[in-house]
Amino acid sequence: MDKNAPIGVFDSGIGGLTVAREIMRQLPEERLIYFGDTARLPYGSKSRETVIRFSRQIIRFLRTMEVKAIVIACNTATSYALDEVRKDEDIPIIGVINAGARAAVSATKNGKIGVIGTNGTIDSGTYEEVLREMKPSVEVFGKACPLFVPLVEEGLLHDTVTDEIASRYLSVLKEKYIDTLVLGCTHYPLIRSTIARIMGNEVHLVNPAYETAVQLKTLLKSMEMNRDEGQELLQSEKYQFFVSDMAEKFRGFAISILPDEVKETVKINIEEY
Ligand code: DGL
């Protein structure tokens, strides 16, 4: 495997850009190919079988780009598909759940951890399973917050509507006296300040996007797969973006998250893979 090959990152749409952003920050020398499945989002309300099928198609596409590793930058796809797709592939594939769970387990003092995510992520029980494997004594409280994704996509990051909905969703977790809360959906770091204000200072928020980039860095280092430093590249070669629909809309959103890195977004037909 070529260590100068790019890293493939995928999500159902724009949310995984929060993971891509962390990878760009923490691994600035790496090349990245991002795919957002904008034609078929949201994944959070789809069945396990469908999310696995979509994930397999995207991985087939990314492999045509000869990526050296893949990051599933979507909590729902990680919950449903990570174990399945790993069986078929011979390159490292990581998701966002393990890294987030590890950070939560090391942060909690009272052993009460909250997890918020899409219906798919919470219903799958994957976070709970992984957290308990890491530390059997923890109590895990999951809460699906399905309206957060459309609120973020509508740009209502600092809005009274978001405050009101967040207060309603999070009240059940406040009643459990959790001291750690996992932001178990790619969109939630974008409303982190609202969630932090409602939960209060005593609750530690875990951003799996950040933790995943840390895990990827460690993985590449251990495999001696870091890209050679000092090899000059054009920005457009370094970061490439593909979507299954609405390329211009995606690009506009991507520019708001990754101001300098998005030159062009290419639409592909993912059903062909
Ligand atoms: N990317 C998804 C996740 O992290 C949220 C958006 C969706 O439902 O597709 O679970």
Side-chain angles (χ1 to χ4, degrees), residues 10 43 48-56 59 72 74-88 93 124 126:
F10 79 87
Y43 282 11
R48 177 185 152 84
E49 294 68 37
T50 300
V51 174
I52 292 174
R53 182 168 69 81
F54 289 173
S55 301
R56 285 208 168 107
I59 289 170
I72 306 186
C74 172
N75 289 264
T76 311
T78 303
S79 303
Y80 283 145
L82 179 64
D83 289 345
E84 289 302 314
V85 296
R86 263 186 177 159
K87 288 181 203 155
D88 317 330
I93 305 185
S124 75
T126 306

Short mmCIF file of all heavy atoms in Angstrom, two decimals, residues 10 43 48-56 59 72 74-88 93 124 126:
data_model
loop_
_atom_site.label_atom_id
_atom_site.label_comp_id
_atom_site.label_asym_id
_atom_site.label_seq_id
_atom_site.Cartn_x
_atom_site.Cartn_y
_atom_site.Cartn_z
N PHE A 10 -16.04 9.17 4.53
CA PHE A 10 -17.40 9.32 4.00
C PHE A 10 -18.44 9.49 5.08
O PHE A 10 -18.25 9.12 6.23
CB PHE A 10 -17.76 8.17 3.04
CG PHE A 10 -18.16 6.86 3.68
CD1 PHE A 10 -19.48 6.60 4.05
CD2 PHE A 10 -17.22 5.85 3.90
CE1 PHE A 10 -19.86 5.38 4.60
CE2 PHE A 10 -17.58 4.63 4.45
CZ PHE A 10 -18.91 4.39 4.81
N TYR A 43 -29.23 9.06 6.83
CA TYR A 43 -29.04 7.65 7.17
C TYR A 43 -29.73 7.33 8.51
O TYR A 43 -30.06 6.17 8.77
CB TYR A 43 -27.55 7.31 7.30
CG TYR A 43 -26.79 7.14 5.99
CD1 TYR A 43 -27.33 7.48 4.76
CD2 TYR A 43 -25.51 6.61 6.01
CE1 TYR A 43 -26.61 7.32 3.58
CE2 TYR A 43 -24.78 6.43 4.83
CZ TYR A 43 -25.34 6.78 3.63
OH TYR A 43 -24.62 6.60 2.47
N ARG A 48 -30.82 -0.88 8.99
CA ARG A 48 -29.45 -1.40 9.03
C ARG A 48 -29.01 -1.94 7.65
O ARG A 48 -27.94 -1.62 7.16
CB ARG A 48 -29.46 -2.53 10.09
CG ARG A 48 -28.19 -3.26 10.27
CD ARG A 48 -28.45 -4.41 11.27
NE ARG A 48 -27.55 -5.49 10.99
CZ ARG A 48 -26.30 -5.56 11.43
NH1 ARG A 48 -25.84 -4.63 12.22
NH2 ARG A 48 -25.52 -6.55 11.11
N GLU A 49 -29.90 -2.73 7.01
CA GLU A 49 -29.55 -3.34 5.71
C GLU A 49 -29.24 -2.26 4.67
O GLU A 49 -28.29 -2.37 3.90
CB GLU A 49 -30.71 -4.20 5.17
CG GLU A 49 -31.04 -5.43 5.96
CD GLU A 49 -31.63 -5.12 7.33
OE1 GLU A 49 -32.40 -4.13 7.46
OE2 GLU A 49 -31.30 -5.85 8.30
N THR A 50 -30.07 -1.23 4.66
CA THR A 50 -29.87 -0.15 3.68
C THR A 50 -28.56 0.58 3.95
O THR A 50 -27.79 0.84 3.01
CB THR A 50 -31.08 0.83 3.75
OG1 THR A 50 -32.24 0.09 3.43
CG2 THR A 50 -30.93 1.98 2.78
N VAL A 51 -28.29 0.89 5.20
CA VAL A 51 -27.06 1.64 5.52
C VAL A 51 -25.83 0.78 5.19
O VAL A 51 -24.83 1.30 4.68
CB VAL A 51 -27.07 2.11 6.99
CG1 VAL A 51 -25.74 2.76 7.37
CG2 VAL A 51 -28.22 3.10 7.23
N ILE A 52 -25.92 -0.52 5.40
CA ILE A 52 -24.78 -1.39 5.04
C ILE A 52 -24.59 -1.40 3.52
O ILE A 52 -23.47 -1.28 3.02
CB ILE A 52 -25.00 -2.83 5.58
CG1 ILE A 52 -24.93 -2.83 7.11
CG2 ILE A 52 -23.96 -3.80 4.99
CD1 ILE A 52 -25.25 -4.16 7.77
N ARG A 53 -25.68 -1.49 2.78
CA ARG A 53 -25.58 -1.51 1.31
C ARG A 53 -24.96 -0.20 0.80
O ARG A 53 -24.03 -0.21 0.00
CB ARG A 53 -26.97 -1.72 0.69
CG ARG A 53 -26.96 -1.80 -0.82
CD ARG A 53 -28.29 -2.30 -1.37
NE ARG A 53 -29.38 -1.34 -1.19
CZ ARG A 53 -29.58 -0.30 -1.99
NH1 ARG A 53 -28.78 -0.07 -3.02
NH2 ARG A 53 -30.59 0.53 -1.78
N PHE A 54 -25.44 0.93 1.32
CA PHE A 54 -24.90 2.23 0.91
C PHE A 54 -23.40 2.30 1.26
O PHE A 54 -22.59 2.76 0.46
CB PHE A 54 -25.62 3.38 1.63
CG PHE A 54 -27.05 3.62 1.20
CD1 PHE A 54 -27.85 4.55 1.88
CD2 PHE A 54 -27.61 2.96 0.12
CE1 PHE A 54 -29.16 4.80 1.49
CE2 PHE A 54 -28.93 3.19 -0.28
CZ PHE A 54 -29.70 4.11 0.42
N SER A 55 -23.06 1.85 2.44
CA SER A 55 -21.65 1.95 2.89
C SER A 55 -20.76 1.11 1.97
O SER A 55 -19.66 1.54 1.60
CB SER A 55 -21.50 1.48 4.34
OG SER A 55 -22.33 2.26 5.18
N ARG A 56 -21.24 -0.06 1.60
CA ARG A 56 -20.43 -0.93 0.71
C ARG A 56 -20.20 -0.25 -0.63
O ARG A 56 -19.10 -0.29 -1.18
CB ARG A 56 -21.14 -2.27 0.48
CG ARG A 56 -21.04 -3.19 1.68
CD ARG A 56 -21.10 -4.66 1.25
NE ARG A 56 -20.72 -5.51 2.36
CZ ARG A 56 -21.56 -6.27 3.06
NH1 ARG A 56 -22.85 -6.31 2.74
NH2 ARG A 56 -21.12 -7.01 4.06
N ILE A 59 -17.62 2.48 -0.25
CA ILE A 59 -16.27 1.93 -0.08
C ILE A 59 -15.73 1.45 -1.43
O ILE A 59 -14.57 1.66 -1.75
CB ILE A 59 -16.27 0.83 1.01
CG1 ILE A 59 -16.46 1.51 2.37
CG2 ILE A 59 -14.97 0.01 0.98
CD1 ILE A 59 -16.73 0.58 3.52
N ILE A 72 -15.10 6.06 8.43
CA ILE A 72 -16.56 6.20 8.32
C ILE A 72 -16.93 7.35 9.25
O ILE A 72 -17.03 7.19 10.47
CB ILE A 72 -17.30 4.90 8.71
CG1 ILE A 72 -16.78 3.72 7.89
CG2 ILE A 72 -18.80 5.10 8.53
CD1 ILE A 72 -17.55 2.41 8.11
N CYS A 74 -19.48 8.91 10.05
CA CYS A 74 -20.93 8.98 10.28
C CYS A 74 -21.23 8.00 11.40
O CYS A 74 -20.84 6.83 11.33
CB CYS A 74 -21.65 8.57 9.00
SG CYS A 74 -23.44 8.40 9.16
N ASN A 75 -21.90 8.49 12.41
CA ASN A 75 -22.18 7.62 13.56
C ASN A 75 -23.16 6.51 13.19
O ASN A 75 -23.02 5.37 13.64
CB ASN A 75 -22.76 8.44 14.71
CG ASN A 75 -21.74 9.34 15.35
OD1 ASN A 75 -21.13 9.01 16.35
ND2 ASN A 75 -21.51 10.50 14.75
N THR A 76 -24.16 6.84 12.36
CA THR A 76 -25.15 5.84 12.00
C THR A 76 -24.50 4.73 11.16
O THR A 76 -24.71 3.53 11.43
CB THR A 76 -26.31 6.48 11.21
OG1 THR A 76 -26.77 7.64 11.91
CG2 THR A 76 -27.45 5.51 11.02
N ALA A 77 -23.69 5.12 10.19
CA ALA A 77 -23.02 4.11 9.35
C ALA A 77 -22.01 3.32 10.17
O ALA A 77 -21.85 2.11 9.95
CB ALA A 77 -22.35 4.80 8.16
N THR A 78 -21.35 3.96 11.11
CA THR A 78 -20.43 3.21 11.98
C THR A 78 -21.22 2.20 12.80
O THR A 78 -20.83 1.02 12.91
CB THR A 78 -19.66 4.16 12.93
OG1 THR A 78 -18.97 5.14 12.16
CG2 THR A 78 -18.68 3.41 13.79
N SER A 79 -22.33 2.63 13.37
CA SER A 79 -23.14 1.73 14.22
C SER A 79 -23.58 0.49 13.46
O SER A 79 -23.49 -0.62 13.96
CB SER A 79 -24.44 2.42 14.67
OG SER A 79 -24.18 3.59 15.35
N TYR A 80 -24.06 0.70 12.24
CA TYR A 80 -24.64 -0.42 11.50
C TYR A 80 -23.64 -1.19 10.64
O TYR A 80 -23.78 -2.39 10.45
CB TYR A 80 -25.75 0.09 10.57
CG TYR A 80 -27.06 0.43 11.25
CD1 TYR A 80 -27.83 1.50 10.79
CD2 TYR A 80 -27.56 -0.33 12.31
CE1 TYR A 80 -29.05 1.81 11.38
CE2 TYR A 80 -28.77 -0.01 12.90
CZ TYR A 80 -29.51 1.05 12.44
OH TYR A 80 -30.71 1.35 13.01
N ALA A 81 -22.68 -0.47 10.06
CA ALA A 81 -21.92 -1.09 8.96
C ALA A 81 -20.46 -1.41 9.26
O ALA A 81 -19.87 -2.23 8.57
CB ALA A 81 -22.00 -0.20 7.72
N LEU A 82 -19.85 -0.77 10.26
CA LEU A 82 -18.40 -0.92 10.43
C LEU A 82 -17.97 -2.38 10.50
O LEU A 82 -17.09 -2.81 9.76
CB LEU A 82 -17.91 -0.13 11.67
CG LEU A 82 -16.41 -0.25 11.94
CD1 LEU A 82 -15.59 0.37 10.81
CD2 LEU A 82 -16.03 0.40 13.27
N ASP A 83 -18.58 -3.16 11.39
CA ASP A 83 -18.14 -4.55 11.56
C ASP A 83 -18.32 -5.35 10.27
O ASP A 83 -17.50 -6.18 9.92
CB ASP A 83 -18.92 -5.23 12.69
CG ASP A 83 -18.50 -4.66 14.04
OD1 ASP A 83 -17.45 -3.99 14.09
OD2 ASP A 83 -19.23 -4.86 15.03
N GLU A 84 -19.41 -5.07 9.55
CA GLU A 84 -19.69 -5.79 8.30
C GLU A 84 -18.66 -5.48 7.23
O GLU A 84 -18.10 -6.38 6.62
CB GLU A 84 -21.08 -5.41 7.76
CG GLU A 84 -22.23 -5.96 8.58
CD GLU A 84 -22.18 -7.48 8.68
OE1 GLU A 84 -21.97 -8.12 7.63
OE2 GLU A 84 -22.34 -8.00 9.80
N VAL A 85 -18.41 -4.20 6.98
CA VAL A 85 -17.54 -3.84 5.86
C VAL A 85 -16.08 -4.19 6.15
O VAL A 85 -15.32 -4.49 5.23
CB VAL A 85 -17.66 -2.35 5.45
CG1 VAL A 85 -19.06 -2.05 4.95
CG2 VAL A 85 -17.30 -1.40 6.59
N ARG A 86 -15.71 -4.19 7.42
CA ARG A 86 -14.32 -4.56 7.77
C ARG A 86 -14.00 -5.98 7.33
O ARG A 86 -12.86 -6.28 6.98
CB ARG A 86 -14.15 -4.47 9.28
CG ARG A 86 -13.54 -3.17 9.69
CD ARG A 86 -13.27 -3.21 11.17
NE ARG A 86 -12.62 -2.00 11.60
CZ ARG A 86 -12.61 -1.60 12.85
NH1 ARG A 86 -13.24 -2.28 13.78
NH2 ARG A 86 -11.98 -0.50 13.19
N LYS A 87 -15.04 -6.85 7.34
CA LYS A 87 -14.82 -8.25 6.97
C LYS A 87 -14.37 -8.37 5.51
O LYS A 87 -13.68 -9.30 5.14
CB LYS A 87 -16.13 -9.05 7.12
CG LYS A 87 -16.54 -9.28 8.56
CD LYS A 87 -17.83 -10.10 8.56
CE LYS A 87 -18.59 -9.90 9.85
NZ LYS A 87 -20.04 -10.14 9.72
N ASP A 88 -14.82 -7.42 4.65
CA ASP A 88 -14.58 -7.56 3.21
C ASP A 88 -13.30 -6.88 2.75
O ASP A 88 -12.88 -7.07 1.61
CB ASP A 88 -15.69 -6.88 2.38
CG ASP A 88 -17.08 -7.14 2.88
OD1 ASP A 88 -17.28 -8.22 3.45
OD2 ASP A 88 -17.97 -6.27 2.72
N ILE A 93 -10.10 0.29 8.27
CA ILE A 93 -11.33 1.10 8.26
C ILE A 93 -11.66 1.41 9.71
O ILE A 93 -11.74 0.50 10.55
CB ILE A 93 -12.52 0.34 7.62
CG1 ILE A 93 -12.14 -0.16 6.22
CG2 ILE A 93 -13.76 1.21 7.58
CD1 ILE A 93 -13.28 -0.82 5.46
N SER A 124 -29.50 1.19 17.58
CA SER A 124 -28.54 0.09 17.36
C SER A 124 -27.87 -0.36 18.66
O SER A 124 -27.41 -1.49 18.76
CB SER A 124 -27.45 0.53 16.38
OG SER A 124 -26.52 1.40 17.02
N THR A 126 -25.08 0.44 19.72
CA THR A 126 -23.63 0.22 19.54
C THR A 126 -22.80 0.99 20.57
O THR A 126 -21.85 0.46 21.13
CB THR A 126 -23.20 0.59 18.11
OG1 THR A 126 -24.03 -0.13 17.21
CG2 THR A 126 -21.75 0.23 17.85
#
